[in-house]
Amino acid sequence: MGLKVRIYYEDTDSGGIVYHSNYIKFCERARSEIVFASGIEFNDSRHFVVTKLEAHYLKPAVLGDILDIQTKLIKVGGVSLTLAQDIYKVANIKGECERELIFRAKVVVGFISDRKLSRLEPEFARVFGQLNEHQN
């Protein structure tokens, strides 16, 4: 599942380049949208927290760019999910859509229920397990 975002002035640093922490925010939004789109109740007593993050900044994004955040499931654990999240810069060149990989992350999220790390509920494993089937 992909999430598209446009880069606005507020996303950039004084040099007009997307500030490094915003890539992490874009990945968080993409993970949240997966849950929201599934219809699963997602609230303060039932959610995910990042327990580990590995990020690779490959190329910068700038004001006006359109980014596509793609999320894939790597592994389902007892209390966690390991996800690959790639951010592509999308351009329409002469009527052709071109995508360039600019950021790559490996994210481990732990499932929280009633404010403690808990066994991953089957419906969350199912929703994230379907990600790899629906890649565009």
Side-chain angles (χ1 to χ4, degrees):
M1 176 176 188
L3 173 70
K4 292 207 174 33
V5 297
R6 179 180 296 280
I7 300 304
Y8 295 98
Y9 185 75
E10 66 189 22
D11 299 318
T12 64
D13 63 16
S14 61
I17 296 172
V18 172
Y19 190 68
H20 72 278
S21 66
N22 286 337
Y23 294 91
I24 306 302
K25 288 181 184 181
F26 300 149
C27 288
E28 177 70 37
R29 289 179 195 166
R31 291 190 307 273
S32 295
E33 284 298 328
I34 291 164
V35 177
F36 295 145
S38 75
I40 295 174
E41 183 183 343
F42 196 48
N43 56 46
D44 60 349
S45 66
R46 186 174 180 232
H47 61 279
F48 290 98
V49 295
V50 173
T51 60
K52 185 175 182 180
L53 173 74
E54 183 180 312
H56 299 274
Y57 299 86
L58 306 171
K59 293 189 175 186
V62 298
L63 181 66
D65 282 348
I66 302 291
L67 304 182
D68 182 18
I69 300 92
Q70 291 290 319
T71 303
K72 293 181 183 176
L73 178 68
I74 297 174
K75 178 183 172 187
V76 176
V79 297
S80 66
L81 298 170
T82 303
L83 304 167
Q85 291 194 277
D86 293 337
I87 299 181
Y88 295 88
K89 186 185 297 190
V90 180
N92 189 340
I93 300 172
K94 296 181 182 177
E96 296 289 323
C97 183
E98 293 189 14
R99 295 163 29 104
E100 178 180 20
L101 182 64
I102 63 169
F103 177 86
R104 177 163 271 174
K106 182 177 177 183
V107 184
V108 179
V109 292
F111 181 68
I112 300 293
S113 180
D114 297 322
R115 298 186 177 224
K116 63 183 179 192
L117 199 57
S118 301
R119 188 143 204 69
L120 184 65
E121 293 180 8
E123 63 186 327
F124 283 104
R126 179 185 50 76
V127 165
F128 281 90
Q130 293 173 347
L131 288 176
N132 299 357
E133 300 168 10
H134 299 97
Q135 293 299 310
N136 48 354

